[in-house]
Amino acid sequence: MKRFTILTLSSILLFTAGCSQQTEQTPTLSSDNTNPLCNVDNGMAGGWVTSSVTPDVKAALDHVLSMMNTSAKLKQILDVKTQMVNGINYAIDFELDDGQIWNTKVFRSLKGKFKMTQPAQHGSFSQDCQ
């Protein structure tokens, strides 16, 4: 019984000593941009990577352009990033023939179906990257 009491008291002492030494941790802000599209090509599984313009990228953007309410036509695709998930996510920066730059995200399922996951917005995905 004496052994059990000593063990219990030792455990309580260690626990309270450990609790009293706890310090409040403040989250540190990283200098890295929190936009995952700013931190591409880092080799992280499931991360975004810089890609080239492929027929699938063009088909994904055609899907988006068909939903946009504009008479402007595609001038060029400026930047493409992809992410391998249960299918492929495309982040696409593009310019229309009226000079406006837009960005969008499109998901292509394993069955080849496209779904716009972020409506087209003015500006570039990389405009806030440093």
Side-chain angles (χ1 to χ4, degrees):
M1 183 71 166
K2 193 175 195 180
R3 187 180 207 179
F4 177 75
T5 306
I6 291 172
L7 182 60
T8 304
L9 290 174
S10 298
S11 298
I12 292 171
L13 180 64
L14 288 173
F15 178 75
T16 56
C19 289
S20 66
Q21 292 181 7
Q22 263 186 338
T23 58
E24 186 177 322
Q25 294 183 354
T26 350
T28 56
L29 296 176
S30 170
S31 61
D32 294 339
N33 196 307
T34 56
N35 180 349
L37 292 171
C38 292
N39 300 312
V40 296
D41 301 325
N42 61 7
M44 186 171 88
W48 289 93
V49 294
T50 302
S51 300
S52 58
V53 177
T54 64
D56 283 338
V57 171
K58 290 178 183 177
L61 189 54
D62 285 343
H63 177 75
V64 172
L65 292 171
S66 71
M67 297 176 162
M68 289 179 67
N69 185 19
T70 181
S71 60
K73 303 293 180 208
L74 177 66
K75 179 178 180 184
Q76 63 180 330
I77 296 174
L78 301 171
D79 190 32
V80 178
K81 295 181 177 36
T82 57
Q83 180 186 40
M84 297 296 289
V85 289
N86 192 14
I88 300 177
N89 282 321
Y90 298 99
I92 307 169
D93 286 345
F94 60 99
E95 182 180 3
L96 298 179
D97 62 2
D98 61 3
Q100 293 185 50
I101 296 181
W102 292 76
N103 68 72
T104 190
K105 286 184 186 173
V106 180
F107 173 73
R108 189 192 77 190
S109 72
L110 294 174
K111 294 181 179 182
K113 302 282 184 192
F114 291 104
K115 177 183 178 186
M116 185 169 40
T117 56
Q118 177 187 307
Q121 301 175 2
H122 282 281
S124 165
F125 278 122
S126 59
Q127 68 190 4
D128 58 348
C129 300
Q130 299 174 3

